Amino acid sequence: MIKLVSWNVNGLRACVSKGFNEYFKETAADIFCVQETKLQEGQIALELGEEYEQYWNYAIKKGYSGTAIFTRIKPLSVRYGMEENSEPEGRIITLEFNEFYLVNVYTPNAKRDLSRLDYRMEWEDRFSSYLQELDKHKPVLVCGDLNVAHQEIDIKNAKPNRGNSGFTDEERGKMTLLLESGFIDTFRYFHPDQEGAYSWWSNMPKVRERNVGWRIDYFLASSRLAPNLSKAAIDSSILGSDHCPVVLELEAEEE
């Protein structure tokens, strides 16, 4: 059994001061992915234990974006970015294991005024092509902040938010196309009708207490991994970020 955790920490240094290390030890994941680290190389020294290897993709812009993976299963290969093996905003890390690829991603936000929606659409097409190319070789797991609430069940107030960043028809449509290309939304695989299951809440007062949230953090899996999926969960009680961790467990031989 392999346990994976994904968490948009919205600033890793801040999250460390709010319980990150305690949660990391408690969850004892085999692979732990984070997004929006918001730091540069040398700005933090995480003592996670000798069994964990650390892989970081930093954004060129300081205090922005960034991803990391901490794994106690040694990967066969590591890649940063998509086509060029580089990603100036530090948004993607791909680890290759014996039985699958793992892609940790922090999808670009379309921005409140949708000024980055066109870029987002172009990104989505490239990302989908990248995943499908990997999937030709071995199954793929995708985790991270995908910055979209896919269905109305994935957002507290669907009607007033329709057309807003993260819930535009365009963004939701790209997610539908990605799933139709051969991927499973693992949380919905296990919990198809569960309402009130969210992973992000606005910082406005009382929003999280009232659970007025969005589910925008995911584990996706190649459809042929369905027999291996064991559990998908959202750790909504975990604070420290405006996002909470999401969890996937699967049966595999990786060691």
Side-chain angles (χ1 to χ4, degrees):
M1 188 73 70
I2 297 177
K3 183 177 184 179
L4 303 99
V5 173
S6 175
W7 192 5
N8 179 324
V9 292
N10 191 16
L12 185 55
R13 287 172 292 179
C15 195
V16 163
S17 70
K18 299 174 184 176
F20 176 85
N21 289 333
E22 290 79 4
Y23 176 73
F24 184 90
K25 292 175 183 176
E26 174 190 327
T27 194
D30 297 293
I31 305 172
F32 198 114
C33 300
V34 295
Q35 305 89 39
E36 214 172 350
T37 54
K38 291 185 174 179
L39 47 75
Q40 309 301 121
E41 186 172 7
Q43 287 190 310
I44 196 171
L46 282 182
E47 301 296 333
L48 302 177
E50 293 182 359
E51 69 268 33
Y52 285 97
E53 296 192 9
Q54 302 186 20
Y55 298 92
W56 300 80
N57 196 0
Y58 306 100
I60 294 174
K61 181 180 177 181
K62 292 183 178 180
Y64 179 75
S65 189
T67 49
I69 302 178
F70 316 124
T71 175
R72 52 186 175 195
I73 306 171
K74 187 175 179 62
L76 302 176
S77 67
V78 184
R79 182 170 182 163
Y80 302 95
M82 288 187 268
E83 306 92 338
E84 308 273 327
N85 197 26
S86 67
E87 170 52 56
E89 295 187 352
R91 293 185 178 274
I92 297 178
I93 304 175
T94 302
L95 299 188
E96 179 187 2
F97 297 102
N98 287 328
E99 296 189 25
F100 59 87
Y101 289 100
L102 172 66
V103 181
N104 179 27
V105 61
Y106 176 41
T107 299
N109 192 303
K111 292 197 173 182
R112 184 180 293 272
D113 63 358
L114 302 183
S115 59
R116 222 181 183 200
L117 183 60
D118 287 345
Y119 173 73
R120 167 69 178 266
M121 294 296 98
E122 183 262 337
W123 159 283
E124 294 280 3
D125 290 341
R126 284 193 295 126
F127 188 57
S128 178
S129 295
Y130 176 64
L131 296 181
Q132 291 176 57
E133 189 60 35
L134 291 177
D135 194 54
K136 293 177 182 177
H137 302 283
K138 61 179 70 173
V140 180
L141 292 176
V142 183
C143 72
D145 176 359
L146 301 188
N147 258 317
V148 61
H150 183 217
Q151 305 286 3
E152 290 191 359
I153 194 175
D154 298 314
I155 184 171
K156 178 65 173 181
N157 295 314
K159 289 183 179 179
N161 276 295
R162 185 174 178 184
N164 288 344
S165 176
F167 201 59
T168 63
D169 292 349
E170 293 90 341
E171 291 163 304
R172 296 169 64 198
K174 291 295 186 184
M175 175 64 126
T176 297
L177 288 174
L178 178 58
L179 295 176
E180 289 176 349
S181 75
F183 288 88
I184 295 169
D185 175 349
T186 61
F187 183 80
R188 286 294 169 217
Y189 179 78
F190 287 102
H191 313 281
D193 303 314
Q194 183 175 334
E195 298 180 358
Y198 308 127
S199 65
W200 174 81
W201 301 262
S202 159
N203 286 318
M204 297 285 286
K206 303 295 183 182
V207 165
R208 189 156 184 175
E209 290 88 336
R210 293 186 290 117
N211 197 28
V212 181
W214 302 43
R215 189 175 72 94
I216 61 176
D217 301 88
Y218 297 81
F219 271 100
L220 309 181
S222 295
S223 298
R224 63 189 184 279
L225 282 174
N228 302 89
L229 301 177
S230 178
K231 176 185 176 181
I234 300 175
D235 277 350
S236 57
S237 64
I238 301 301
L239 306 178
S241 168
D242 53 349
H243 297 249
C244 73
V246 294
V247 181
L248 179 69
E249 294 182 8
L250 74 157
E251 298 174 8
E253 301 296 324
E254 300 284 351
E255 284 299 341

